[in-house]
Amino acid sequence: MSGAAGPGRAPLPCAARAAAALQLPGGAEAARPGVAVIDLRFPRGGAADVQEIVFKNFYTAFLSLRVQRAGPPGPRRWVTCLRDHRLMPSPHTEEGSQDYFSLRRHQMLCDMEQVTALRFILRQPSPAWLHFSIEELQVFPPAQKSPQQDFPSWLSQLTPPEQPASPHRELPDPEKVSTEVQQMWVLTEVIRARQAAARIGRFDVDGCYDVNLLSYT
Amino acid sequence: MALVICQVSLHKPEIKLESLKEDIKDFLKTSGWEKKLQNAVYSELNVFPSPCHPAAPPEHMKEPLAYMRKAQGSWEKRILKSLNSMCTELSIPLAQKRPASEQKELLNKWNEMGTDEPDLSLFRPVYAPKDFLEVLMNLRNPNYENGEQPSFRNHLGLIQVPLKVKDIPELKEDFSELGLNTGQLGIDDSAQVPPEFFENEHVRVGQKVLAEQDSAAAQQYVRQGCPTALRADLWALILNISNQPEDILYYEQLKSNVIQYDLLVDSLIYKDVKLTASNDDYYFVFEDYLYQVLLCFSRDTSVLDHFTYSSATPPKSYIRGKLGIEEYAVFYPPNGVIPFHGFSMYVAPLCFLYHEPSKLYQIFREMYVRFFFRLHSISSHPSGIVSLCLLFETLLQTHLPQLFYHLREIGAQPLRISFKWMVRAFSGYLATDQLLLLWDRILGYNSLEVLAVLAAAVFAFRAVNLMEVTSLAAAEAVLADLSTLKVMPLLQIFLFATVT
């Protein structure tokens, strides 16, 4: 499973069945119904909290999502958590057809805790496309709180709460001044580090640019 | 640069320690640096596409559709093969260092390279727009129903990919400043209209925009056209070109690279200039400038940055004798752009506005990495040439169905005639003052769609004559001379005054 996960994020392992097209009972020839279903279950009947679902579209116009949740024993119900989410603004044209999408918890109509199965219902009403599906499906659990790696966290806690201007204004408040100067210093250091990557503009290698033929690879 | 100014300002007495942050902010505002930073940010927003999804690989930002990436790759491979075969036929290396005597000679002749008459008869352009059109005509989405039988899915024009293009109501909304009730340069500054109605006020507003040095305001302003006297500065403001000493130094470095190294593409550039701009009544005087700009452009590695958002990839090669060793891999030409027949026409109109070579160079480079690169690469971008072609054909088919059908029947598909206009952004086809009015709108709307609309408007204008022709050659003859056309009335009538 490829795709850039953020720090501390790994996709949940799951088994996705291939998209199955809707078929009418007793249909003689293979019609193209424009509706397909992908079922996803967690291994060994496990359940997990779902924070985000990431996938690559392939000519699906609308997506609905239903989940089955772990609950009291008995027949499990499918709950709709996303209804006709539009992936392609215009189903007959290419816009959005091969884009990457994220579905987040806050977009869902229901809770995404202890989910045992997910059902993606794909719809593509336009007859112009031969196949449609979604690819590179990844499901992410809620992220653990990870420490900031950009600059030391103690720096971000230095800003003191707003204090009213002191009536004795002989000397500036040393705490406030040192905080602000330190923040400025951190910013200049960050920018100085980035500036080192400025290009010099040389296109030759060690003063030599003898090139014979172009390479095809 | 702004950071250094800030650090220097810290020594000023009016900056107090306790209000450091606010004082720095105020200082930035009063010294004009806030405006410069705003302009720089605005410029970046205009050029770079909106950030992709984090899971998307880099090629997705270049071009989201896989089959278009593949088509662009095949097209590039063809170009590479063509260039390689030219090299082997003529036994000329792609690049080599110039001997010292030749370097000195070139330095002396730098301002009059047009007087050189090298033997270019064996060189041929790598490709011409009509070759590119053939490739676009054969572009197919493998997942699309491209049946042989005519159906609603087969487009009647030459482009067969189902990209989303705007229709006239959407274009009216996007180009609302071109409407009948808004003043335009190119219409409301003609001799019959007293200047008090529009022109004087418009010039006054333009001067104010320049005084404020605000890029965003300038971009909004030029939608109604630039006064000739202000155009050079307004375009420089929109493109965020200030010609600082370091920019001039950079240009001088490029010039020294031209002196030091001889590239095969130089000969292609020479040939192109001699074939196109030198033969043009308006542009032949600028021949020397064109060499000075284009030869430096080929050696400018900063142009490589635009390949992150272009569907194209720069050609690669290896230093002689080090084939396959990655440390000796280089891009060829250094800027990654192989010129084609007509490429110099992108620069020629700018010579009317800028006379200082380094500023002219920077303006052209910025125009290229913002707009012109889309006209010769295969992508699904709304301003890409594929979308422009489809927009042109759709507009013509929808609003002049009889004309479209007639031209199709006689074997004169309209795109065959208008393609060369759009690929060159109409440079060399329109009169220069009209062309500059058109390019005002390209800058103002940050989009090339106006080229497709103008192409359709030209066909609409000459519809009566076109209905009477019976062959492609005759249709070409009707549309051969566009030099008398007035661009803004055509656009306005087509968008806002045609009965739909």
Coordinates of all heavy atoms in Angstrom, one line a residue, chain B residues 40-120:
Chain B
A40 N 4.7 39.5 -4.0 CA 5.4 38.2 -4.2 C 4.5 37.0 -3.9 O 4.4 36.0 -4.6 CB 6.7 38.1 -3.3
V41 N 3.7 37.1 -2.8 CA 2.8 36.0 -2.4 C 1.7 35.9 -3.5 O 1.4 34.8 -3.9 CB 2.2 36.3 -1.0 CG1 1.0 35.3 -0.7 CG2 3.2 36.2 0.1
Y42 N 1.2 37.0 -3.9 CA 0.2 37.0 -5.0 C 0.7 36.3 -6.2 O 0.0 35.6 -6.9 CB -0.3 38.4 -5.2 CG -1.5 38.5 -6.1 CD1 -2.8 38.1 -5.6 CD2 -1.5 38.9 -7.4 CE1 -3.9 38.1 -6.4 CE2 -2.6 39.0 -8.2 CZ -3.8 38.6 -7.7 OH -4.9 38.6 -8.5
S43 N 1.9 36.7 -6.6 CA 2.5 36.1 -7.7 C 2.6 34.6 -7.6 O 2.3 33.8 -8.5 CB 3.9 36.7 -7.9 OG 4.6 36.0 -8.9
E44 N 3.1 34.1 -6.4 CA 3.2 32.6 -6.2 C 1.8 32.0 -6.3 O 1.6 30.9 -6.9 CB 3.7 32.3 -4.8 CG 5.1 32.8 -4.6 CD 6.2 31.8 -5.1 OE1 6.1 30.7 -4.7 OE2 7.1 32.3 -5.8
L45 N 0.8 32.6 -5.8 CA -0.6 32.0 -5.8 C -1.0 31.9 -7.3 O -1.7 31.0 -7.6 CB -1.6 32.9 -5.1 CG -1.5 32.9 -3.6 CD1 -2.5 33.9 -3.0 CD2 -1.9 31.5 -3.1
N46 N -0.7 32.9 -8.1 CA -1.1 32.8 -9.5 C -0.4 31.7 -10.3 O -1.0 31.1 -11.2 CB -0.8 34.1 -10.2 CG -1.9 35.1 -10.2 OD1 -3.1 34.7 -10.0 ND2 -1.7 36.4 -10.3
V47 N 0.9 31.5 -10.0 CA 1.6 30.6 -10.8 C 1.4 29.1 -10.4 O 1.2 28.2 -11.2 CB 3.1 30.9 -10.7 CG1 4.0 29.9 -11.4 CG2 3.4 32.3 -11.3
F48 N 1.5 28.9 -9.1 CA 1.5 27.5 -8.6 C 0.1 27.0 -8.5 O -0.8 27.7 -8.0 CB 2.3 27.3 -7.3 CG 3.7 27.4 -7.5 CD1 4.4 28.7 -7.3 CD2 4.5 26.3 -7.9 CE1 5.7 28.8 -7.5 CE2 5.8 26.4 -8.1 CZ 6.5 27.6 -7.9
P49 N -0.2 25.7 -8.8 CA -1.5 25.2 -8.7 C -1.8 25.0 -7.2 O -0.9 25.0 -6.4 CB -1.4 23.8 -9.4 CG 0.0 23.5 -9.4 CD 0.8 24.7 -9.3
S50 N -3.1 24.8 -6.8 CA -3.4 24.6 -5.4 C -2.8 23.3 -5.0 O -2.7 22.4 -5.7 CB -4.9 24.6 -5.2 OG -5.6 24.0 -6.4
P51 N -2.5 23.2 -3.7 CA -1.7 22.0 -3.2 C -2.6 20.7 -3.5 O -3.8 20.7 -3.3 CB -1.5 22.2 -1.7 CG -2.2 23.5 -1.4 CD -2.6 24.2 -2.6
C52 N -1.8 19.7 -3.8 CA -2.5 18.4 -4.1 C -2.8 17.7 -2.8 O -2.3 18.1 -1.8 CB -1.5 17.6 -4.9 SG -1.9 17.5 -6.6
H53 N -3.6 16.7 -2.9 CA -3.8 15.8 -1.8 C -2.5 15.2 -1.4 O -1.6 14.9 -2.2 CB -4.7 14.7 -2.3 CG -5.3 13.9 -1.2 ND1 -4.6 12.8 -0.6 CD2 -6.4 13.9 -0.5 CE1 -5.3 12.3 0.3 NE2 -6.4 12.9 0.4
P54 N -2.3 15.0 -0.1 CA -1.0 14.5 0.4 C -0.6 13.1 -0.2 O 0.5 12.8 -0.3 CB -1.1 14.5 1.9 CG -2.5 14.8 2.2 CD -3.1 15.5 1.0
A55 N -1.7 12.3 -0.5 CA -1.4 11.0 -1.0 C -1.0 11.0 -2.5 O -0.5 10.0 -3.0 CB -2.6 10.1 -0.8
A56 N -1.2 12.1 -3.1 CA -0.9 12.2 -4.6 C 0.6 12.2 -4.9 O 1.3 13.0 -4.3 CB -1.6 13.4 -5.2
P57 N 1.1 11.4 -5.8 CA 2.5 11.4 -6.1 C 2.8 12.7 -7.0 O 1.8 13.3 -7.5 CB 2.7 10.1 -7.0 CG 1.3 9.8 -7.5 CD 0.3 10.3 -6.5
P58 N 4.1 13.1 -7.1 CA 4.4 14.3 -7.8 C 3.9 14.4 -9.3 O 3.5 15.4 -9.7 CB 5.9 14.4 -7.8 CG 6.4 13.3 -6.9 CD 5.2 12.4 -6.6
E59 N 3.8 13.2 -9.9 CA 3.4 13.2 -11.3 C 1.9 13.6 -11.4 O 1.4 14.2 -12.4 CB 3.6 11.9 -12.1 CG 2.9 10.7 -11.5 CD 3.8 9.8 -10.8 OE1 4.8 10.3 -10.4 OE2 3.4 8.6 -10.7
H60 N 1.2 13.5 -10.3 CA -0.2 13.8 -10.3 C -0.4 15.3 -10.3 O -1.3 15.9 -10.9 CB -0.9 13.3 -9.0 CG -2.4 13.2 -9.1 ND1 -3.2 14.2 -8.6 CD2 -3.2 12.4 -9.7 CE1 -4.5 14.0 -8.8 NE2 -4.5 12.8 -9.5
M61 N 0.6 16.1 -9.7 CA 0.5 17.5 -9.8 C 0.8 18.0 -11.2 O 0.3 19.0 -11.6 CB 1.5 18.1 -8.7 CG 1.5 19.6 -8.8 SD 1.7 20.5 -7.3 CE 3.4 20.9 -7.3
K62 N 1.7 17.3 -11.8 CA 2.1 17.7 -13.2 C 0.8 17.5 -14.1 O 0.5 18.4 -14.9 CB 3.2 16.8 -13.7 CG 4.6 17.2 -13.1 CD 5.6 16.1 -13.3 CE 6.1 16.1 -14.7 NZ 7.1 17.2 -15.0
E63 N 0.2 16.3 -14.0 CA -0.9 16.0 -14.8 C -1.7 14.9 -14.2 O -1.2 13.8 -14.0 CB -0.5 15.6 -16.2 CG -1.5 15.0 -17.1 CD -2.8 15.9 -17.2 OE1 -2.6 17.1 -17.5 OE2 -3.9 15.4 -16.9
P64 N -3.0 15.2 -13.8 CA -3.7 14.1 -13.0 C -4.2 12.9 -13.9 O -4.3 11.8 -13.3 CB -5.0 14.8 -12.5 CG -5.0 16.1 -13.2 CD -3.7 16.4 -13.8
L65 N -4.3 13.1 -15.2 CA -4.8 12.0 -16.0 C -3.7 11.1 -16.5 O -2.8 11.6 -17.3 CB -5.7 12.5 -17.2 CG -6.9 13.4 -16.7 CD1 -7.6 13.8 -18.0 CD2 -7.8 12.6 -15.8
A66 N -3.8 9.8 -16.3 CA -2.6 8.9 -16.6 C -2.4 8.8 -18.1 O -1.3 8.9 -18.6 CB -2.9 7.5 -16.0
Y67 N -3.5 8.8 -18.9 CA -3.3 8.6 -20.3 C -2.7 9.9 -21.0 O -2.0 9.8 -22.0 CB -4.6 8.2 -21.0 CG -5.7 9.3 -21.1 CD1 -5.8 10.0 -22.3 CD2 -6.6 9.5 -20.1 CE1 -6.8 11.0 -22.4 CE2 -7.6 10.4 -20.2 CZ -7.7 11.2 -21.3 OH -8.6 12.2 -21.4
M68 N -3.0 11.0 -20.4 CA -2.4 12.2 -20.9 C -0.9 12.3 -20.6 O -0.1 12.7 -21.4 CB -3.0 13.5 -20.3 CG -4.4 13.7 -20.9 SD -4.6 15.4 -21.3 CE -6.2 15.3 -22.0
R69 N -0.5 11.8 -19.4 CA 0.9 11.7 -19.1 C 1.6 10.8 -20.1 O 2.7 11.1 -20.6 CB 1.1 11.2 -17.7 CG 0.7 12.1 -16.6 CD 1.4 11.7 -15.3 NE 0.9 10.4 -14.8 CZ -0.1 10.2 -13.9 NH1 -0.7 11.2 -13.4 NH2 -0.4 9.0 -13.5
K70 N 1.0 9.7 -20.4 CA 1.6 8.8 -21.3 C 1.7 9.4 -22.7 O 2.8 9.2 -23.3 CB 0.6 7.5 -21.4 CG 1.3 6.3 -21.9 CD 0.6 5.0 -21.4 CE 1.0 3.9 -22.4 NZ -0.1 3.3 -23.0
A71 N 0.7 10.1 -23.1 CA 0.7 10.7 -24.5 C 1.8 11.8 -24.5 O 2.6 11.8 -25.5 CB -0.6 11.3 -24.8
Q72 N 2.0 12.5 -23.4 CA 3.0 13.5 -23.4 C 4.4 12.9 -23.4 O 5.3 13.3 -24.1 CB 2.9 14.4 -22.1 CG 4.0 15.4 -21.9 CD 4.1 16.5 -22.9 OE1 3.1 16.8 -23.6 NE2 5.3 17.1 -22.9
G73 N 4.5 11.7 -22.7 CA 5.8 11.0 -22.7 C 6.2 10.5 -24.1 O 7.3 10.6 -24.6
S74 N 5.2 10.0 -24.9 CA 5.4 9.5 -26.2 C 5.8 10.6 -27.1 O 6.7 10.5 -28.0 CB 4.2 8.8 -26.8 OG 3.6 8.0 -25.9
W75 N 5.1 11.7 -27.0 CA 5.4 12.9 -27.8 C 6.8 13.4 -27.6 O 7.6 13.6 -28.5 CB 4.4 14.0 -27.6 CG 4.7 15.3 -28.1 CD1 4.8 16.5 -27.4 CD2 4.8 15.7 -29.5 NE1 5.0 17.5 -28.3 CE2 5.0 17.1 -29.5 CE3 4.8 15.0 -30.7 CZ2 5.2 17.8 -30.7 CZ3 5.0 15.7 -31.9 CH2 5.2 17.0 -31.9
E76 N 7.2 13.4 -26.3 CA 8.6 13.9 -26.0 C 9.6 12.9 -26.6 O 10.6 13.3 -27.1 CB 8.7 14.0 -24.4 CG 8.1 15.2 -23.9 CD 8.1 15.2 -22.4 OE1 8.6 14.2 -21.7 OE2 7.6 16.2 -21.8
K77 N 9.3 11.6 -26.5 CA 10.3 10.6 -27.0 C 10.5 10.9 -28.5 O 11.6 10.8 -29.0 CB 9.7 9.2 -26.8 CG 10.8 8.2 -26.8 CD 10.3 6.9 -26.0 CE 11.3 5.8 -26.2 NZ 10.9 4.6 -25.5
R78 N 9.4 11.2 -29.2 CA 9.5 11.5 -30.7 C 10.4 12.7 -30.9 O 11.2 12.7 -31.8 CB 8.1 11.8 -31.2 CG 7.5 10.7 -32.0 CD 6.1 11.0 -32.5 NE 6.1 12.0 -33.5 CZ 4.9 12.4 -34.1 NH1 3.8 11.9 -33.7 NH2 5.0 13.3 -35.1
I79 N 10.2 13.7 -30.1 CA 11.1 14.9 -30.2 C 12.5 14.5 -30.0 O 13.4 15.0 -30.7 CB 10.6 16.0 -29.3 CG1 9.2 16.4 -29.5 CG2 11.5 17.2 -29.4 CD1 8.7 17.5 -28.6
L80 N 12.8 13.8 -29.0 CA 14.2 13.4 -28.7 C 14.8 12.6 -29.8 O 15.9 12.8 -30.2 CB 14.2 12.5 -27.4 CG 13.8 13.1 -26.1 CD1 14.2 12.1 -25.0 CD2 14.3 14.4 -25.8
K81 N 14.0 11.7 -30.4 CA 14.5 10.9 -31.5 C 14.8 11.8 -32.7 O 15.9 11.6 -33.3 CB 13.5 9.9 -31.9 CG 13.3 8.7 -31.0 CD 12.7 7.5 -31.8 CE 12.8 6.3 -30.9 NZ 11.5 5.6 -30.7
S82 N 13.9 12.8 -32.9 CA 14.2 13.7 -34.0 C 15.5 14.5 -33.8 O 16.3 14.6 -34.8 CB 13.0 14.6 -34.1 OG 13.2 15.6 -35.1
L83 N 15.7 14.9 -32.6 CA 16.9 15.7 -32.3 C 18.1 14.9 -32.4 O 19.1 15.3 -33.0 CB 16.7 16.4 -30.9 CG 17.6 17.6 -30.6 CD1 17.4 18.7 -31.7 CD2 17.3 18.1 -29.3
N84 N 18.0 13.7 -31.9 CA 19.2 12.8 -32.0 C 19.6 12.4 -33.4 O 20.7 12.4 -33.8 CB 18.9 11.5 -31.2 CG 19.2 11.6 -29.7 OD1 19.9 12.6 -29.3 ND2 18.8 10.6 -28.9
S85 N 18.5 12.2 -34.2 CA 18.8 11.8 -35.6 C 19.4 13.0 -36.3 O 20.3 12.8 -37.2 CB 17.6 11.3 -36.3 OG 16.7 12.3 -36.4
M86 N 19.0 14.2 -36.0 CA 19.6 15.4 -36.6 C 21.1 15.5 -36.2 O 21.9 15.8 -37.0 CB 18.9 16.7 -36.2 CG 19.1 17.8 -37.1 SD 18.6 19.4 -36.5 CE 16.9 19.1 -36.1
C87 N 21.4 15.2 -35.0 CA 22.7 15.2 -34.5 C 23.6 14.3 -35.2 O 24.7 14.6 -35.7 CB 22.8 14.8 -33.0 SG 22.6 16.1 -31.9
T88 N 23.2 13.0 -35.3 CA 24.0 12.0 -36.0 C 24.1 12.3 -37.4 O 25.2 12.1 -38.0 CB 23.4 10.6 -35.7 OG1 22.0 10.7 -35.6 CG2 24.0 10.0 -34.5
E89 N 23.1 12.8 -38.1 CA 23.2 13.1 -39.5 C 24.2 14.2 -39.8 O 25.0 14.1 -40.7 CB 21.8 13.6 -40.0 CG 20.9 12.6 -40.6 CD 19.5 13.2 -40.9 OE1 19.5 14.3 -41.5 OE2 18.5 12.6 -40.5
L90 N 24.1 15.2 -39.0 CA 25.0 16.4 -39.2 C 26.4 16.2 -38.5 O 27.2 17.1 -38.7 CB 24.3 17.6 -38.7 CG 23.0 18.0 -39.4 CD1 22.4 19.2 -38.7 CD2 23.1 18.2 -40.9
S91 N 26.5 15.2 -37.7 CA 27.7 14.9 -36.9 C 28.1 16.2 -36.1 O 29.3 16.6 -36.1 CB 28.9 14.6 -37.8 OG 28.6 13.6 -38.7
I92 N 27.1 16.7 -35.5 CA 27.4 17.9 -34.6 C 27.0 17.4 -33.2 O 25.9 16.9 -33.0 CB 26.5 19.1 -35.0 CG1 26.8 19.5 -36.4 CG2 26.7 20.3 -34.1 CD1 26.0 20.7 -36.9
P93 N 27.8 17.7 -32.2 CA 27.4 17.4 -30.8 C 26.3 18.3 -30.3 O 26.1 19.4 -30.8 CB 28.7 17.6 -30.0 CG 29.4 18.6 -30.8 CD 29.1 18.4 -32.2
L94 N 25.6 17.8 -29.3 CA 24.5 18.6 -28.8 C 25.0 19.8 -28.1 O 24.4 20.9 -28.1 CB 23.7 17.8 -27.8 CG 22.7 16.8 -28.4 CD1 22.0 16.0 -27.3 CD2 21.6 17.5 -29.2
A95 N 26.2 19.7 -27.4 CA 26.8 20.8 -26.7 C 28.3 20.6 -26.7 O 28.8 19.5 -26.6 CB 26.2 20.9 -25.3
Q96 N 29.0 21.7 -26.8 CA 30.4 21.7 -26.6 C 30.9 23.1 -26.2 O 30.2 24.1 -26.4 CB 31.1 21.3 -27.9 CG 30.8 22.2 -29.1 CD 31.3 21.7 -30.4 OE1 32.0 20.7 -30.4 NE2 31.1 22.4 -31.4
K97 N 32.1 23.1 -25.6 CA 32.7 24.4 -25.2 C 33.2 25.1 -26.4 O 33.8 24.5 -27.3 CB 33.8 24.1 -24.2 CG 34.0 25.2 -23.2 CD 34.7 24.8 -22.0 CE 34.7 25.9 -21.0 NZ 35.0 25.5 -19.6
R98 N 33.0 26.4 -26.4 CA 33.6 27.2 -27.6 C 35.0 27.4 -27.4 O 35.5 27.7 -26.3 CB 32.9 28.5 -27.6 CG 31.7 28.6 -28.5 CD 31.2 30.1 -28.6 NE 29.9 30.2 -28.1 CZ 28.8 30.1 -28.9 NH1 28.9 29.8 -30.1 NH2 27.6 30.3 -28.3
P99 N 35.8 27.3 -28.5 CA 37.2 27.7 -28.4 C 37.3 29.2 -28.1 O 36.4 30.0 -28.4 CB 37.8 27.4 -29.8 CG 36.7 27.2 -30.7 CD 35.5 26.8 -29.8
A100 N 38.5 29.6 -27.4 CA 38.6 30.9 -26.9 C 38.4 32.0 -28.0 O 37.9 33.1 -27.7 CB 40.0 31.1 -26.2
S101 N 39.0 31.8 -29.2 CA 38.9 32.8 -30.2 C 37.4 33.0 -30.6 O 37.0 34.2 -30.8 CB 39.6 32.3 -31.5 OG 39.2 31.1 -31.9
E102 N 36.6 31.9 -30.7 CA 35.2 32.0 -31.0 C 34.5 32.8 -29.9 O 33.6 33.6 -30.2 CB 34.6 30.6 -31.2 CG 33.5 30.6 -32.2 CD 32.9 29.2 -32.2 OE1 33.7 28.3 -32.6 OE2 31.7 29.0 -31.9
Q103 N 34.9 32.5 -28.7 CA 34.2 33.2 -27.5 C 34.4 34.7 -27.7 O 33.5 35.5 -27.5 CB 34.8 32.8 -26.2 CG 34.4 31.3 -25.8 CD 34.8 31.0 -24.4 OE1 34.9 31.9 -23.6 NE2 35.0 29.7 -24.1
K104 N 35.6 35.1 -28.0 CA 35.9 36.6 -28.1 C 35.1 37.2 -29.2 O 34.6 38.3 -29.1 CB 37.4 36.8 -28.3 CG 37.9 38.1 -27.9 CD 39.3 38.4 -28.3 CE 40.3 37.7 -27.3 NZ 41.7 38.1 -27.5
E105 N 35.1 36.4 -30.3 CA 34.3 36.9 -31.5 C 32.9 37.2 -31.2 O 32.2 38.2 -31.5 CB 34.5 35.9 -32.6 CG 34.2 36.5 -34.0 CD 34.2 35.3 -35.0 OE1 35.0 34.4 -34.9 OE2 33.3 35.4 -35.9
L106 N 32.3 36.2 -30.5 CA 30.9 36.3 -30.1 C 30.6 37.4 -29.2 O 29.6 38.2 -29.3 CB 30.4 34.9 -29.5 CG 28.9 34.9 -29.3 CD1 28.1 35.1 -30.5 CD2 28.5 33.5 -28.7
L107 N 31.5 37.6 -28.2 CA 31.4 38.7 -27.3 C 31.3 40.1 -28.0 O 30.5 41.0 -27.7 CB 32.5 38.7 -26.3 CG 32.4 39.6 -25.1 CD1 31.1 39.3 -24.3 CD2 33.5 39.4 -24.1
N108 N 32.2 40.2 -29.0 CA 32.2 41.4 -29.8 C 31.0 41.7 -30.6 O 30.5 42.8 -30.8 CB 33.4 41.5 -30.7 CG 34.7 41.6 -30.0 OD1 34.7 42.0 -28.8 ND2 35.8 41.2 -30.6
K109 N 30.4 40.5 -31.0 CA 29.3 40.7 -31.9 C 27.9 40.6 -31.2 O 26.9 40.5 -31.8 CB 29.3 39.5 -32.9 CG 29.9 39.8 -34.2 CD 29.5 38.8 -35.3 CE 29.0 37.6 -34.7 NZ 29.4 36.4 -35.4
W110 N 28.0 40.6 -29.8 CA 26.8 40.3 -29.0 C 25.6 41.1 -29.4 O 24.4 40.6 -29.4 CB 27.1 40.5 -27.6 CG 26.0 40.2 -26.7 CD1 25.2 41.1 -26.0 CD2 25.4 38.9 -26.3 NE1 24.2 40.4 -25.3 CE2 24.3 39.1 -25.5 CE3 25.8 37.6 -26.7 CZ2 23.6 38.0 -24.9 CZ3 25.0 36.5 -26.2 CH2 24.0 36.7 -25.3
N111 N 25.8 42.4 -29.7 CA 24.6 43.3 -30.0 C 24.2 43.2 -31.4 O 23.2 43.9 -31.8 CB 24.9 44.7 -29.6 CG 25.0 44.8 -28.1 OD1 24.2 44.2 -27.4 ND2 25.9 45.7 -27.6
E112 N 24.9 42.4 -32.3 CA 24.5 42.4 -33.7 C 24.6 41.0 -34.2 O 25.1 40.8 -35.3 CB 25.3 43.4 -34.5 CG 26.8 43.4 -34.0 CD 27.6 44.3 -34.8 OE1 27.3 45.5 -34.9 OE2 28.7 43.8 -35.2
M113 N 24.0 40.1 -33.5 CA 24.1 38.7 -33.9 C 23.3 38.4 -35.2 O 23.5 37.5 -35.9 CB 23.7 37.7 -32.8 CG 24.7 37.6 -31.7 SD 24.2 36.3 -30.5 CE 23.3 37.3 -29.4
G114 N 22.4 39.4 -35.4 CA 21.6 39.2 -36.6 C 22.3 39.3 -37.9 O 21.9 38.9 -39.0
T115 N 23.5 40.0 -37.8 CA 24.3 40.2 -39.1 C 25.0 38.9 -39.5 O 25.5 38.7 -40.6 CB 25.4 41.3 -38.9 OG1 26.1 40.9 -37.7 CG2 24.7 42.6 -38.7
D116 N 25.1 38.0 -38.5 CA 25.7 36.7 -38.8 C 24.8 35.9 -39.9 O 23.6 36.0 -39.8 CB 25.7 35.9 -37.5 CG 27.0 35.1 -37.4 OD1 27.9 35.3 -38.2 OD2 27.1 34.3 -36.4
E117 N 25.5 35.3 -40.8 CA 24.7 34.5 -41.7 C 25.2 33.0 -41.8 O 25.8 32.6 -42.7 CB 24.8 35.1 -43.2 CG 24.1 36.4 -43.3 CD 22.6 36.4 -43.4 OE1 22.1 35.3 -43.6 OE2 22.0 37.4 -43.2
P118 N 25.0 32.3 -40.7 CA 25.6 30.9 -40.7 C 24.8 30.1 -41.6 O 23.7 30.4 -42.0 CB 25.4 30.5 -39.2 CG 24.3 31.3 -38.7 CD 24.3 32.6 -39.4
D119 N 25.4 29.0 -42.0 CA 24.7 28.1 -43.0 C 23.8 27.2 -42.2 O 24.2 26.2 -41.5 CB 25.8 27.2 -43.7 CG 25.1 26.3 -44.7 OD1 23.9 26.5 -45.0 OD2 25.8 25.3 -45.1
L120 N 22.5 27.5 -42.3 CA 21.6 26.7 -41.5 C 20.7 25.8 -42.4 O 19.7 25.3 -42.0 CB 20.6 27.7 -40.8 CG 21.3 28.6 -39.8 CD1 20.3 29.7 -39.4 CD2 21.7 27.8 -38.6

